Every structure is written in structure tokens, then in C-alpha cells.
Amino acid sequence: MPIKQRFDRLLLGAAILQVGVGLALMASASWLIATERYGRPGSYFFTWQAATAVVGLGVLMVCMHVRSDLLTEPRLARVGVGLTWLLLVVVFLQPPVAATHRWLSIGGLSLQPSVLARVALMIFAAVELDRARREGWPGRRMWSLTAVCSFTAVLIIIEPDLGSGALLLVVLTAMAFVAGTPVRMIAAPAVVGVLALAVAVVTSPYRLARVRAFVDPDAATAAGWQSYQSLVAIGSGGITGRGYGAGLQKLFFLPEPHTDFIFSIAGEELGLLGLLGLLGLISLITWRGLRIASRLASPDRALLAFGLTFAFAVQSLIHMIVCLDLLPPKGIPLPLVSYGKTDLVVTLASVGLLLNLSREASL
Amino acid sequence: MSGRRLWVVALMLVVGGMTVVARAVQVTVVDGDEWQERARRQHQQIIQVPGPRGTIRTADGYVLAASLERVAIQADTHLLNDRELFAKAAAPLIGIDADELVGRLTSGPRTVWLAKQVAVETGEAVRELAPTAVVLVPDFERVYPLGEVAAPVVGFVGREELRMVGRAGLEHHFDEMLAGDPQTYLAINDAIQRKVRLERLERGREGYDLELSLHARLQAVCETELQRAIRELRADAASAVILDPRTGAVFALASVPSFDPAAPGLVPPEQWRLRPVQDALEPGSTVKPIVAAAALAADSIRPGERFSCLGHGVRLAGFWIRDHVAPGRYTLDEVVAYSANTGIIEVVERIPEDALYRTFAAFGFGRRSEIAFPAEARGLMPEVRTWSKLSRAGFALGQELTVTPLQVALAYAAIANRGWLPEPCLVNSVFAENGLVSDKDPRLVRVLDEALAARLTSMLEAVVDEGTGKEAQIPGLRVAGKTGTAQRAINGAFDDEHHVAWFAGFLPLPDPRVVIVVAVENPRVDFWASTAAAPVFARIALAAAGHLDVPLHEPREPQTDAVRLARNATDSRSHGGGV
């Protein structure tokens, strides 16, 4: 296969720019939360995120220069899935953080296994889907793939982290779709998945409350409050915003201004223009990613490139749509922008993998 | 990998992106105003904070009361990470006990006022200790640079939260003008209703400044002289009034003992009174010129008529009225000059009761002068229908009515001002930031015809030149005046303990510039006005003449008929003090 020496510099530039914009927004959004809620110095979250960004860029470089044939090595993919399962189980052995088992604490650093699982599953799915395609979509292989994916998703959902689990399933489904899987093979698990999601929502009071608040915005619930405050933030920002740092919604109106609602803070402080700029950056990264995917000769790598890109795009979209109150609050961070160490490192690693693949793309 | 399916997914992503754009435009542009309004409602709260209170200054430019820009420090105790540490650091800055501050921070309401009226720098230093928990609210401190000088006139303020409220004196009377409108601030709140910062929305009308007619230096001289008189005479209290007879402008209103307006609570509340306005006293013989005016106006006596004055006094309706003049027959002028009690009683018995009452009323007795001051005393002047047989004599001796020193000063001003009674004026003008708000034109009422006023003036000049008021003489100035030694009715009875020593007069003749009234209450060393009150008058008058740049003349021979007559009388008779 032809190895191109040039990687996609536009993608790298856009990703680094978005990390920079994200750090700036995060600093503004998290300053008061740090001092008021956590009793830390105002720069606490910013410092951590900046340090993580440095580490993440290192990981990006590594991912960029790793031997590309290792990326879709089936045995490595299986080992990756096994390791993430291990982490997802170990996390339950630790005391819960904020009443959930989303974070794994290793030597003072906390790690979100669900985020690692997403990349591992995407690599595994890319390899397995390509093999299934070559074998003519045998049912047994597809069922086992579905089982692996579902099992991982269930492990994540019972953390509980319905948003991440559902996101994982959406990404994997999209990969299967793009890989050319017969529609009936996708439809059956999709129907089951949607039903399972409905059950998960109905059986969990806080999820139900969120949905109910979304359907009936007048209900004065905590969940409705979040969405309302998000709209207040974006709406009051207007076209040009209140100015960087001048936002008022982060003063405890928005519960998680530096993670789940960073897009709202961007809207309040930088206005519609800021939102469009951010959306432009996300679109640019997505476009470059899809472009790489469509130009890769090797189907498994193309599928991986698509998966990485689609995960980034769909996660961004869900974050923005939640902030715009078109979906109930999910707790999905905006990639490269929201505070979240694991998410930032893994997203930068994904970009690194995309850049690695970009050298093989017939650009 | 299926290229067509990739396009389908890409298209879905594009639709998603378009949805974001469309919704963002809807929220920020289409419904932007509505969301902004909602944001404003939850972030912002209009709070009103008092603005700077107006300045009170004297006509000669001294500041009696002013407002200093200060801050009030408020803390949200829930947002203090370590209350004890904060208290230990903040307490020395605001000058309170650290343990007490810890107590206030740990028990009690969530929001605590740490200090009010502290310097802006102090407030900022405290805010530095806990920037998110401490809010500085604009505040003002009332200061009285001259301390006790004119304190009973200026009064003082109390505080209701951050608002200063005039509690006494002019601070009370002109409270609304001085206070101005509240300044409107927009408090930017966070979700827990803490004021994160304040933005001034509306300045509101600032407090108006008052320029008084008082002259600080005359006021200070009066107060010093009254304090000296109290000390030397072992008196309880003393009052003095200086006013301009032509305009009614009050140059000094002294009331001793007084108080420190910055700490009025240190003295009993009766010392807050402005005695020359708020206290009515028996006027004693200071009303004799008014009786003379009534007699002359009503044509009750013949020109040159003489009245018998019995040295030992007169028995009247069972009461023995003492007299201190040499026995003999005195003219009206002499009766006034020597303050002969028996003579004035003979005069007053000739005046119809209504005419007597009307004259007293015309001079302003028995009604408020309407000076711009709270709780002005009206004085007691019984109506004719309630009079007894003794009442006219009681009026003539100044014992059956009470008057304020200000009323006496105004009545004498009418004599000095050729028969025109002025309205008193204490506040010359009111200033806003951008200029004059109101000014007062002098208002005068004629109460005497000019010839009668001139005749009374001569009588009063004779009092000082040759009569009971000799102690009020000032070399180089022609002075007119009258003594008055009144017995005070305590619980309806007169005794020998309570007296008021009066002196009322004006100078310089022939064109008087100031009327001065001095009243010393309960002087124990010497209660006779001629020796207790007249020297105080003279000292104040000399200072007033100097301050107002009244030219001094070489001493010269008195020329009026009254004085010549009085001198003749002196030649033939010795005289004592007047009652």
C-alpha cells in the first residue's frame, strides 16, 4: 500500500486550534466552580486540562507515528477489548465517585474506562466488520460482534452512564451501516437497543425526569432547570455575546458549565458568532476525517477512520443539541473543549490515529 | 466500505449541523430579546442605596456637616472557607474584636454586615481576603468638622440600615432635601442571590446642599461667651441669638450646653435642644419697650406725663411687686431706662387690654416665627378673655407670658428696623449639584410707625447709656438694649431660685446691623440682668461688630432727648438694678 509522507496538516491544525479555544472557554467556565464548589484555586481545572492537553498531544504524536499495520491488527484489537472489559469491571470494585462507577482511580489519576472502551470497540468493530464483509456477512460472526458490543455497552450503562453507552452503540451501528452490513442485520439489534434504552429510561427515576422535563418544559424540575438555564445562556449571549469571561450563567445557574454545558457558555460569552466558529471547527475536523476515510484503500482502516470521525462528530452534535434543548440533558462533553482528562487524551489519540491513517489516504 | 452509505451518514451529520445552526439562530436572534429579558430577571436585581447626603455650610463658608464616601462590608458566611481565619485577618482591618467577629460569622444569619462606614481602602482590603464572599456596598459617613459649634442647629443623623435619617435640628427638618433620592444600582446576582458586583443605573438626585445664614465665627464666639457665662455665674444653661434686623437673617443661634453631633448619645437628650428656638422663658423687663409701644400707639398717656415710682414697690391685688428704683415721678422714657416696675404698672393699667394684647401679638409673641426648624416653641400668651386683674401688670413685668429668645430678637429687630418686623431666615439658599434650587427673599411686616420706632430706640439707647444696661456699653459704638431679670414659674409658682437674666439689644445706632439677645438660665452667682447678662451681650456685640466690619467711632456725647432726660434723672436719683 502506498505510504504518503504527508499527513493531513489541516486536520492537525484544526484539532490544536479547537484544543486552544477549548482551554480558553474552559478557564472562563470553570474558574468560579473551582473556587466556590470545590474550594480549589480558580485555575484548578484549567491547569489540569492544559497539562492533560500536553500529555494528549504527546499521545497524538505517538498514535500518529505508530506502525500503521498495528492499528488494524486483529489480535491487538481483541486484547484491547479484553483490557477495557477488565477496566470496566474493576471500576465497580472501587468506591463510587458521585454515586457512579464512571471513574477509575489509578494512583491519584482518574480515568473513564468507557471512553477507552469506545476506541477499543471501534478498532475491534472495524477489523471484525471488514472480515465479515470479506466472508459474505455470516450470521454467526455478526451475532458475536453484536454480543461483544452489547456486553460492553451494558457494562457502561450500568455504571450508570447511559449517554456514553448509547453513544457507543450509535457509533458502532453507524460503522456497521457504512461497512455495508445488510440492513436486516442492523435493524434487529437496533430495535432491541431502542427498546432496551426505553426500559433503561423508564426504570430510572432521574432519566425519566429528564425526559419528562424535556417533553414538558414547564415542569419545574431540576432537569428542566438545566435546559432552561442553557437556553438563557445562549439566548442572552445574542449575536456577539457578553464578551469572554463576562458570562453570568456559570455563576451556579448552569450546573456543569465546564463540562456538560460548555457550548452554552461559549454561546453566552462569544455569541452566535462564537457558536458558528466552534461549529465550523468541528465541521472542518469532521470533513477532514470523512475525507480520509473515503480515500483510504484499505477497507478496515477506512472503517476505523470513519468510526473515529463519526464518534467525534456525533458526540459534538449531541452535546450541542442538548445545550440547545433539542434533546434531554445527557452529560456528554464536547470533544477537545469540555473539561475531562480521559476524553481529551482519547480524542487527541483518535486525531493522532486519523493523522496516521491520513498518510495512507490517496489525497 | 460502502461509499453511498458513507454519503448517507455524512448527509445526516450535515442535517445535524444545520439543525444546530438553525436552533442557535432561533435562540440567539429570533428569541434573543426574550431570553435576554429572562436572563436579566434572574441575574439582576435593582437595589437602592442612599446617595451622598448634602453638605450644610455657613454663610461665611465653613462646613458644618458633610458626607464622606465610605463602604459597607457585607459577607456571605456560607462562602467563607475558613471563618476563623477570615475573622482573624479581617478584624484588625475593621477595628473590631476577632472573637466577636468569629461569633457573628458562625452564629446568626447567613449574610452579615461586617462593618459600615469604613474607608474604601479598608473595604477593599477586607474584600481581598475573600473576594467571592465579601461585597462592598456604597456607604457614607456623616462628619461634623466643627464639632460642637452650632451642633444644636445642625442636629444629627441616625441610621436605618444604610440610610441616614435626620434625627434632630436641620438634619431632621431638611431630611428629604439633604438625603436626595436613592441611587439605583443593578446588583448582578449569581444563582444563590449573592451580589457579585454593583453597577450604577441611575444616579438619582444627590442631596441638596444647605447654605445657612449662620456665621460660624459669630456662632463660635456666642458659644464661647455663653460657656464662660455659665461657668462664672454657675448657671444651668444659656442662649444667644444674633440676627440682621433688616433681613431677619440669623447670624448665630447658640445653645449651651450642647453636644458632639458625631456622638449625641453621650449627653442627655435635653442638651440636644436649640434653646433660643425651642425653649420659651419668662421675658421679664425685656418686654417693657413693647408695653411702652402699646401705650404710645393707643395714646394711653399724655406726652411728658410722669408716673410715680415707689422705691419699696407696690401692692397689687394682694401681691407685692418689688421695685429697685429711687422713689419719684418718672417719664415713660425713664420708666423704661430704669426699668421701674411700679411705673410700668401704672402705665399698663391705662392701656386697654385688647390694645395691649394686639401690640404683643403684632411683635410676634405667642406664635411661632416659622423659622425653618423643628419643634419651635410658640411661647405662652394667654388670650384677653382669660386675663385676671393682675394680668396686665403681669404682662408689663414680663411674667405672665413666655417667649423664646428668637421671638425677643425679632421684636427688637422690628424696633431697630424702623418698625418693620422681619421673618427669620436660617437657611440662605439650597444648592443642587447644578446650581441654586431656592433662595429666600426677606419678608417684612410693619408693626410700628417709624416715629414710634425711633422713640423706642432712643429709650433703649438711654438704657445702655445711663440706665440699667450700662454694662452693655461698647466704646465707639452706639448701642440700644434692655435688661430683663425674670423669675421663672416652676410648677406654677415663682421662687427665688430660678431666674432668667436677659439682655436684648441692637447696634450700631443709627443704622443697626445686628440684634443680639442673651438669656442666661438660673444664674446662681448673680441673677441681675444688668450685671449677669449685659456684659455677655457686650462681649458678643463687640465680636459681632468686628466680624461684620462695623466701623467704630470716637466716643461722643449722647444727644437724644431720652438720654438727656435720663441723665437728668440720674443726677437727682440713684438707681438699682431693674427687674
Side-chain angles (χ1 to χ4, degrees):
Chain A
M1 63 190 66
I3 301 290
K4 287 205 56 155
Q5 292 305 311
R6 300 285 292 264
F7 53 87
D8 190 340
R9 284 187 294 187
L10 190 53
L11 173 60
L12 178 62
I16 289 175
L17 182 58
Q18 187 162 340
V19 170
V21 170
L23 276 173
L25 275 174
M26 228 281 305
S28 164
S30 69
W31 201 275
L32 280 165
I33 287 285
T35 58
E36 303 289 328
R37 191 183 297 167
Y38 298 99
R40 306 276 192 178
S43 57
Y44 175 78
F45 288 106
F46 172 78
T47 311
W48 267 109
Q49 184 84 337
T52 308
V54 171
V55 172
L57 286 173
V59 172
L60 180 144
M61 300 300 279
V62 171
C63 290
M64 221 171 100
H65 294 289
V66 80
R67 260 174 57 204
S68 63
D69 54 327
L70 289 180
L71 297 184
T72 48
E73 166 61 43
R75 272 168 305 177
L76 275 180
R78 276 193 286 263
V79 168
V81 171
L83 273 176
T84 58
W85 282 358
L86 182 65
L87 292 177
L88 283 170
V89 172
V90 167
V91 82
F92 279 96
L93 304 178
Q94 290 198 340
V97 177
T100 61
H101 293 278
R102 293 181 190 179
W103 290 276
L104 185 67
S105 179
I106 302 169
L109 290 173
S110 69
L111 190 80
Q112 264 187 292
S114 63
V115 178
L116 292 172
R118 192 188 309 153
V119 177
L121 263 283
M122 280 193 285
I123 293 173
F124 179 75
V127 171
E128 288 297 302
L129 283 167
D130 184 47
R131 191 188 281 182
R133 180 188 59 81
R134 277 189 270 114
E135 294 171 359
W137 308 107
R140 205 172 52 85
R141 187 171 291 284
M142 289 310 285
W143 281 119
S144 68
L145 175 60
T146 307
V148 168
C149 294
S150 305
F151 177 68
T152 315
V154 165
L155 279 180
I156 295 171
I157 287 170
I158 61 174
E159 275 181 348
D161 189 354
L162 182 64
S164 297
L167 179 67
L168 176 66
L169 289 177
V170 167
V171 170
L172 294 172
T173 308
M175 284 176 73
F177 176 73
V178 170
T181 313
V183 175
R184 63 185 158 79
M185 289 187 163
I186 302 172
V191 169
V192 173
V194 169
L195 284 177
L197 189 73
V199 170
V201 167
V202 172
T203 54
S204 151
Y206 86 90
R207 286 185 193 130
L208 191 61
R210 282 187 185 181
V211 172
R212 195 175 279 160
F214 177 73
V215 175
D216 175 15
D218 289 335
T221 59
W225 163 260
Q226 291 182 16
S227 304
Y228 176 84
Q229 292 303 340
S230 176
L231 285 184
V232 167
I234 295 172
S236 67
I239 293 173
T240 52
R242 287 185 195 274
Y244 175 70
L248 298 166
Q249 287 293 95
K250 61 195 177 197
L251 304 172
F252 315 110
F253 287 103
L254 272 174
E256 302 288 345
H258 59 314
T259 57
D260 298 355
F261 288 99
I262 192 95
F263 188 68
S264 313
I265 299 297
E268 189 188 16
E269 300 197 348
L270 307 176
L272 178 63
L273 299 179
L275 294 186
L276 293 181
L278 203 50
L279 182 64
L281 265 181
I282 293 164
S283 305
L284 180 60
I285 292 170
T286 306
W287 169 52
R288 296 311 285 189
L290 293 181
R291 187 165 172 272
I292 291 165
S294 67
R295 296 187 182 197
L296 276 169
S298 148
D300 51 354
R301 292 175 194 204
L303 213 45
L304 176 60
F306 167 78
L308 294 169
T309 308
F310 183 78
F312 171 84
V314 89
Q315 191 186 341
S316 303
L317 264 181
I318 291 173
H319 177 94
M320 292 187 285
I321 286 174
V322 165
C323 286
L324 288 165
D325 194 30
L326 294 175
L327 273 178
K330 280 221 170 6
I332 299 281
L334 185 60
L336 301 184
V337 176
S338 287
Y339 178 75
K341 297 187 279 283
T342 317
D343 198 71
L344 180 58
V345 171
V346 170
T347 310
L348 283 173
S350 306
V351 173
L353 294 177
L354 276 174
L355 289 170
N356 190 329
L357 297 169
S358 75
R359 289 188 300 185
E360 293 175 16
S362 50
L363 299 173
Chain B
M1 193 169 97
S2 161
R4 225 185 53 208
R5 288 193 178 184
L6 181 64
W7 276 111
V8 169
V9 173
L11 196 66
M12 283 165 68
L13 289 177
V14 169
V15 169
M18 303 278 276
T19 309
V20 168
V21 172
R23 175 70 168 168
V25 168
Q26 186 207 350
V27 173
T28 55
V29 181
V30 181
D31 299 336
D33 291 344
E34 195 182 320
W35 287 112
Q36 270 164 32
E37 172 59 25
R38 286 177 185 164
R40 207 178 58 70
R41 274 208 304 270
Q42 73 180 17
H43 296 151
Q44 300 172 349
Q45 183 195 349
I46 304 288
I47 62 161
Q48 296 202 313
V49 174
R53 197 172 168 89
T55 300
I56 301 178
R57 54 175 185 271
T58 62
D60 52 348
Y62 287 86
V63 174
L64 294 176
S67 285
L68 289 185
E69 220 170 287
R70 292 285 194 244
V71 290
I73 309 173
Q74 196 181 47
D76 183 335
T77 54
H78 288 204
L79 295 174
L80 289 171
N81 294 328
D82 187 332
R83 292 174 196 181
E84 275 193 34
L85 200 65
F86 173 80
K88 287 205 172 78
L93 289 173
I94 51 185
I96 56 173
D97 183 55
D99 293 333
E100 186 217 322
L101 188 55
V102 172
R104 277 162 59 196
L105 291 175
T106 46
S107 59
R110 171 173 180 173
T111 306
V112 175
W113 287 108
L114 299 183
K116 289 172 185 169
Q117 305 183 83
V118 297
V120 179
E121 304 81 58
T122 309
E124 279 166 359
V126 173
R127 185 167 59 182
E128 276 304 297
L129 298 173
T132 51
V134 171
V135 180
L136 300 183
V137 180
D139 194 8
F140 295 94
E141 184 185 352
R142 197 67 166 159
V143 291
Y144 301 95
L146 297 192
E148 288 203 6
V149 173
V153 179
V154 173
F156 54 89
V157 292
R159 278 167 70 93
E160 287 170 9
E161 279 288 305
L162 293 185
R163 206 160 69 86
M164 279 189 275
V165 184
R167 296 274 191 233
L170 294 175
E171 293 271 34
H172 172 68
H173 195 80
F174 289 97
D175 192 40
E176 251 176 63
M177 276 193 181
L178 287 165
D181 296 334
Q183 312 286 298
T184 307
Y185 284 85
L186 193 62
I188 313 279
N189 288 345
D190 59 20
I192 51 174
Q193 295 303 305
R194 196 187 57 213
K195 294 165 194 68
V196 174
R197 62 171 194 269
L198 295 176
E199 263 174 29
R200 180 142 71 176
L201 278 187
E202 271 180 70
R203 273 166 64 82
R205 173 179 74 75
E206 285 195 6
Y208 289 154
D209 295 340
L210 301 185
E211 190 197 281
L212 307 185
S213 58
L214 293 189
H215 285 235
R217 287 193 273 176
L218 288 184
Q219 179 77 27
V221 164
C222 283
E223 291 175 5
T224 309
E225 291 301 337
L226 295 185
Q227 278 156 2
R228 177 177 161 186
I230 288 178
R231 201 170 54 242
E232 290 179 353
L233 298 167
R234 290 203 293 114
D236 286 342
S239 299
V241 180
I242 305 179
L243 56 78
D244 183 340
R246 298 165 300 182
T247 60
V250 179
F251 292 153
L253 271 179
S255 179
V256 175
S258 99
F259 62 97
D260 177 4
L266 298 181
V267 301
E270 56 262 29
Q271 289 192 24
W272 301 342
R273 291 198 325 272
L274 182 61
R275 295 182 183 80
V277 174
Q278 295 177 324
D279 279 8
L281 307 163
E282 289 78 0
S285 298
T286 54
V287 294
K288 280 180 181 155
I290 316 298
V291 177
L296 293 169
D299 280 328
S300 304
I301 55 172
R302 294 183 304 277
E305 189 176 356
R306 285 179 181 269
F307 304 90
S308 50
C309 297
L310 314 165
H312 57 280
V314 62
R315 193 175 174 79
L316 191 85
F319 289 84
W320 190 253
I321 306 296
R322 288 172 297 181
D323 213 341
H324 308 276
V325 297
R329 293 185 63 79
Y330 287 60
T331 64
L332 179 63
D333 301 63
E334 288 164 338
V335 164
V336 173
Y338 296 107
S339 205
N341 288 343
T342 48
I344 203 73
I345 288 168
E346 205 181 330
V347 171
V348 83
E349 298 293 345
R350 304 266 200 90
I351 310 170
E353 290 180 334
D354 282 339
L356 184 65
Y357 183 87
R358 274 200 312 274
T359 304
F360 270 77
F363 274 94
F365 295 119
R367 70 177 151 84
R368 295 194 177 93
S369 70
E370 302 303 334
I371 190 171
F373 205 83
E376 187 188 0
R378 186 192 300 272
L380 188 74
M381 195 169 76
E383 287 181 38
V384 176
R385 57 185 168 78
T386 66
W387 285 10
S388 68
K389 281 188 169 177
L390 206 57
S391 290
R392 270 188 294 188
F395 262 66
L397 300 177
Q399 292 291 151
E400 195 145 329
L401 71 166
T402 60
V403 301
T404 65
L406 178 65
Q407 284 174 331
V408 175
L410 290 167
Y412 275 67
I415 300 170
N417 199 28
R418 299 183 167 83
W420 291 94
L421 176 72
E423 248 184 27
C425 164
L426 182 53
V427 176
N428 273 352
S429 22
V430 178
F431 293 96
E433 268 176 296
N434 46 6
L436 199 63
V437 175
S438 82
D439 214 345
K440 197 173 169 188
D441 285 328
R443 276 184 53 191
L444 301 161
V445 181
R446 179 168 279 289
V447 296
L448 282 177
D449 69 55
E450 201 170 330
L452 190 45
R455 172 119 188 243
L456 293 174
T457 302
S458 322
M459 291 182 196
L460 295 175
E461 191 178 11
V463 172
V464 175
D465 283 348
E466 302 293 335
T468 56
K470 278 184 175 173
E471 294 276 352
Q473 288 175 2
I474 299 169
L477 286 176
R478 288 175 60 197
V479 178
K482 181 74 190 78
T483 52
T485 305
Q487 282 180 288
R488 297 200 64 189
I490 303 297
N491 300 325
F494 296 107
D495 59 30
D496 283 336
E497 300 290 312
H498 297 87
H499 293 90
V500 186
W502 290 84
F503 197 93
F506 45 86
L507 68 152
L509 299 182
D511 292 306
R513 299 268 306 276
V514 284
V515 173
I516 301 172
V517 172
V518 172
V520 183
E521 292 178 50
N522 305 334
R524 292 186 180 78
V525 173
D526 172 11
F527 61 77
W528 294 109
S530 51
T531 44
V536 182
F537 169 90
R539 289 195 291 268
I540 291 173
L542 185 59
H547 180 73
L548 299 172
D549 210 12
V550 174
L552 297 177
H553 299 285
E554 288 300 310
R556 55 167 192 73
E557 285 299 302
Q559 285 168 358
T560 61
D561 290 346
V563 172
R564 212 162 36 242
L565 287 166
R567 194 168 50 186
N568 296 339
T570 319
D571 290 343
S572 54
R573 290 172 291 263
S574 66
H575 60 274
V579 165

